[in-house]
Amino acid sequence: MSEPRRHNWLFIFGVWTAVGVLLSLQTYISLSQMPDSPRAHVVLWVAQMYRAWLWALLTPAVFLLRRELVRRHPNHVVRFALHMLTALTLLAWCNIVRLWALNITFGWWRLEDYGIDAIWNMLSARSFIDFYVYWIVVTADYIRYLVNHKVQTDLREEQLQTQLVQAELAALKQQVQPHFLFNSLNAISSLMREGERDKAVEAISLLSQLLRQLMANGGKQEIELWRELDYAQCYLSVEKVRFEEKLVTSFEADEECLNALVPTLILQPLVENAVKHGIAQRRNPGRVRVIAQRLDAGRMRLEVFNDPAEGGRKADARDSHGIGLQATRARLERAFGPTHKLTYDLSNPAGCVVTIELPFRTAGAASQLN
């Protein structure tokens, strides 16, 4: 017998034993006015326990019968009639078996000593409890079916919702990837037009390195922060070939944050925007700075700074709602819901900053949750 089935049997046996004890107590209290007879009390107690254990044996069969009747007879009237016939049959069968078992136990009743009429006359109104018990068992199995059906339905809906979110996250990630590839190729194209063939070759080599890293983790929705920082550094290296000393980069990360999980390519559009809307619009050198900090209450903060554009050009609303920020916000919303925070200040004269706060989770903790 498999472990779950054994547990089911033990549960059914335990429930019916408890019911038998309650029936014994109820019988003892109701007959307490009878002359004190220890043997009579023992017989009544054993009779009630036999009834309970008999129903412990019958319960799985009644469960199976209810499901078979549902499967074979869609008509409710037919099912009700068959249940009524079964209830009456079990009423007679349970009483006969119980009397027979009491005879074996105490030796005071034998089937051959009594006719059917005599047995019928022995049945009191209390004996019809088996008739009611049958309907209680059928009802309990139906309620159990409804509860299981509800749980299974909720589970399927949750799985579908999870799959939908995964699909949306994958689509958003795929939306980000071609975007930065286009910008990288455009930068390389500019180098070629300017006759900077050696720089263009170096940029192609760095871009190839970045693509290899992305392909190695292509199917992952989340990666460790240190890998994400590698992506960002590799992308900025491509841009640095183009902008040379005009692009100054720095990365600062708390050591405990390096193994924290973050959505793949979550920093990519932010550093890309920092270069496109900040550094590329400057004549003087400008900085792109990435900071990762562990916060209290199980959270972490990622910040991407860049020096502002020069020549009076500032990031406007259209820039701030470009594909990079939109995709980043949508991915964070689907991955973390209300537990994430994304803020930006793109027009500050001291520098633009995009800040993300999200739950701090490491790969080990995430696998334990799964």
Side-chain angles (χ1 to χ4, degrees), residues 145-216:
Y145 161 77
L146 292 178
V147 171
N148 286 340
H149 182 70
K150 177 73 167 51
V151 170
Q152 292 298 322
T153 301
D154 291 347
L155 183 61
R156 279 197 295 273
E157 288 181 358
E158 186 178 340
Q159 289 173 338
L160 288 174
Q161 186 64 30
T162 301
Q163 291 172 359
L164 177 61
V165 170
Q166 293 291 332
E168 289 176 343
L169 288 171
L172 288 166
K173 192 176 78 173
Q174 293 304 319
Q175 191 178 9
V176 169
Q177 205 157 310
H179 191 250
F180 90 80
L181 276 175
F182 171 79
N183 282 341
S184 298
L185 292 173
N186 191 44
I188 293 170
S189 174
S190 297
L191 291 172
M192 294 291 288
R193 282 197 299 269
E194 294 166 4
E196 301 282 358
R197 297 185 55 186
D198 291 343
K199 291 181 179 179
V201 170
E202 182 183 356
I204 290 173
S205 175
L206 290 168
L207 182 60
S208 300
Q209 181 183 340
L210 174 58
L211 291 176
R212 277 196 297 271
Q213 291 181 18
L214 289 172
M215 290 175 66

Side-chain angles (χ1 to χ4, degrees), residues 20-63:
V21 171
L22 292 175
L23 288 173
S24 299
L25 288 174
Q26 187 267 339
T27 304
Y28 175 79
I29 294 172
S30 63
L31 301 179
S32 59
Q33 302 302 320
M34 291 178 60
D36 189 24
S37 171
R39 178 181 172 80
H41 288 301
V42 170
V43 170
L44 290 172
W45 183 85
V46 171
Q48 296 293 17
M49 294 309 299
Y50 279 172
R51 166 177 279 130
W53 288 332
L54 194 57
W55 275 105
L57 293 174
L58 288 173
T59 295
V62 173
F63 285 176

